[in-house]
Amino acid sequence: MTTLSARERGDLAEELLPVAARLATIVQGDGGPEDVQELLDGLDRYKVGCLAVVLAGLVDPDRPLGALWGWVDFDENGTPVSPDQSEQQTLRDLTEEAPDRVLVDEVAVERALSSVNGTGVRLSREERRLGVDRGIRRGLSYEQVAERLGMSVDAVKRAWDRAKDRARAEGRYVPAQPVGLISNVA
């Protein structure tokens, strides 16, 4: 949102406020996952990011988590639950626990990797880095990864070399097979 003037940001926030309200009502009981997907499919990636900012602006970071999760009445297995209303930890408390890390849109990475001639999916530097690592490990050639991620072949080669160095430093497996044949090894 930083490339917009203050007025443009305000106009965009006002435009997205009804969308944010609809998404909140869907999530809190008026709809299901299909409704969320339909709503988000109507927005480009930039507006989805802006929507996240608008939604964050609607949340009081000093309310207890028990109150914020009050609409959740089931767990990940569909078993009915009652949120702990006595929970006094707040969102602001959680920010102190949050690790400093870059968020990656894994869906966008997968969409780009699965495209044949590129889909026009815009990826951040971290997303391209992940795309190179995953694409090469799946047996794609440098050229295929470059085409799908909108990069040059040389940039893909450099990114793969850095990915291998990071993996080795973290003690993770680095395939020794030539690029393009990696996925053929069990």
Side-chain angles (χ1 to χ4, degrees):
M1 293 179 75
T2 57
T3 60
L4 301 177
S5 69
R7 174 175 289 228
E8 291 168 325
R9 286 193 307 268
D11 290 345
L12 183 57
E14 283 183 25
E15 175 189 335
L16 291 173
L17 188 57
V19 179
R22 178 68 185 126
L23 182 58
T25 58
I26 289 170
V27 168
Q28 295 196 27
D30 288 353
E34 316 81 30
D35 299 309
V36 170
Q37 188 63 52
E38 183 180 341
L39 182 75
L40 295 179
D41 283 347
L43 302 174
D44 62 31
R45 190 165 179 221
Y46 180 76
K47 284 190 177 179
V48 169
C50 295
L51 177 63
V53 174
V54 171
L55 286 165
L58 298 174
V59 177
D60 177 0
D62 295 313
R63 280 187 71 196
L65 292 178
L68 292 172
W69 285 107
W71 57 273
V72 177
D73 58 0
F74 57 90
D75 66 12
E76 66 275 11
N77 300 312
T79 305
V81 298
S82 296
D84 182 4
Q85 296 297 326
S86 66
E87 172 68 61
Q88 293 304 306
Q89 186 178 28
T90 67
L91 284 180
R92 192 173 307 280
D93 296 333
L94 289 179
T95 62
E96 296 167 8
E97 299 173 12
D100 290 333
R101 62 185 174 125
V102 177
L103 297 178
V104 174
D105 184 346
E106 295 201 31
V107 173
V109 172
E110 292 303 322
R111 187 175 292 150
L113 284 174
S114 66
S115 68
V116 176
N117 293 319
T119 61
V121 175
R122 296 186 64 171
L123 300 175
S124 69
R125 191 165 105 193
E126 290 297 319
E127 291 163 344
R128 285 192 306 273
R129 185 178 294 165
L130 177 62
V132 168
D133 188 82
R134 285 189 180 170
I136 298 296
R137 287 178 185 268
R138 290 178 185 168
L140 297 177
S141 68
Y142 290 126
E143 293 78 12
Q144 290 170 313
V145 172
E147 177 185 7
R148 294 173 187 199
L149 300 181
M151 299 171 66
S152 72
V153 173
D154 287 338
V156 170
K157 288 179 181 179
R158 285 190 304 273
W160 176 238
D161 287 339
R162 287 190 297 269
K164 290 188 296 186
D165 291 344
R166 275 191 310 278
R168 285 186 188 109
E170 295 169 3
R172 293 185 291 125
Y173 170 72
V174 177
Q177 297 73 26
V179 169
L181 299 177
I182 292 172
S183 69
N184 296 336
V185 178

